[in-house]
């Protein structure tokens, strides 16, 4: 049985709101000013960032041969955190 129009509208509206990015979104490979300043922490983050860059490069290479591009989990498009 199909949901009522109001229920369907609410579900679609909620899905749309939760799927939008904030204008000031921070992404996984970015770091906020003032974070990871200590030497060891900064080195670990830089290593993590390089790993993400390699993953993104592999995804981009694979996308070059595909009709439909895979963009959902590109590290440059994954938010740093999610607040619902």
């Amino acid at each position: 049985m199909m949901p009522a129009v109001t229920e369907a509208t609410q579900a679609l509206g909620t899905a749309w709101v939760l799927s939008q990015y904030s204008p000031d979104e921070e992404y996984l490979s970015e770091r906020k000013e003032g974070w990871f300043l200590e030497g060891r922490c900064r080195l670990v983050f830089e290593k993590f960032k390089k790993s993400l860059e390699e993953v993104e490069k592999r995804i981009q290479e694979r996308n070059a041969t595909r009709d439909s591009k895979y963009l959902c989990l590109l590290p440059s498009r994954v938010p740093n955190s999610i607040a619902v």
Side-chain angles (χ1 to χ4, degrees), residues 14-82:
T14 302
W16 182 82
V17 167
L18 293 176
S19 67
Q20 300 304 302
Y21 289 96
S22 171
D24 60 346
E25 191 75 62
E26 294 176 23
Y27 296 94
L28 202 53
S29 61
E30 299 172 354
R31 69 178 171 91
K32 207 171 194 178
E33 192 63 37
W35 290 24
F36 305 113
L37 295 177
E38 298 85 17
R40 183 170 179 199
C41 292
R42 192 176 66 249
L43 292 174
V44 169
F45 182 79
E46 291 303 321
K47 182 178 178 182
F48 174 67
K49 187 175 178 176
K50 285 186 190 294
S51 295
L52 292 176
E53 289 169 358
E54 290 173 16
V55 168
E56 182 140 356
K57 182 179 176 185
R58 278 187 282 169
I59 292 172
Q60 296 289 13
E61 288 170 355
R62 292 175 183 171
N63 279 343
T65 62
R66 294 188 173 157
D67 294 331
S68 179
K69 309 297 183 207
Y70 180 78
L71 304 173
C72 296
L73 291 177
L74 281 173
S76 63
R77 295 184 60 161
V78 175
N80 208 8
S81 64
I82 299 173

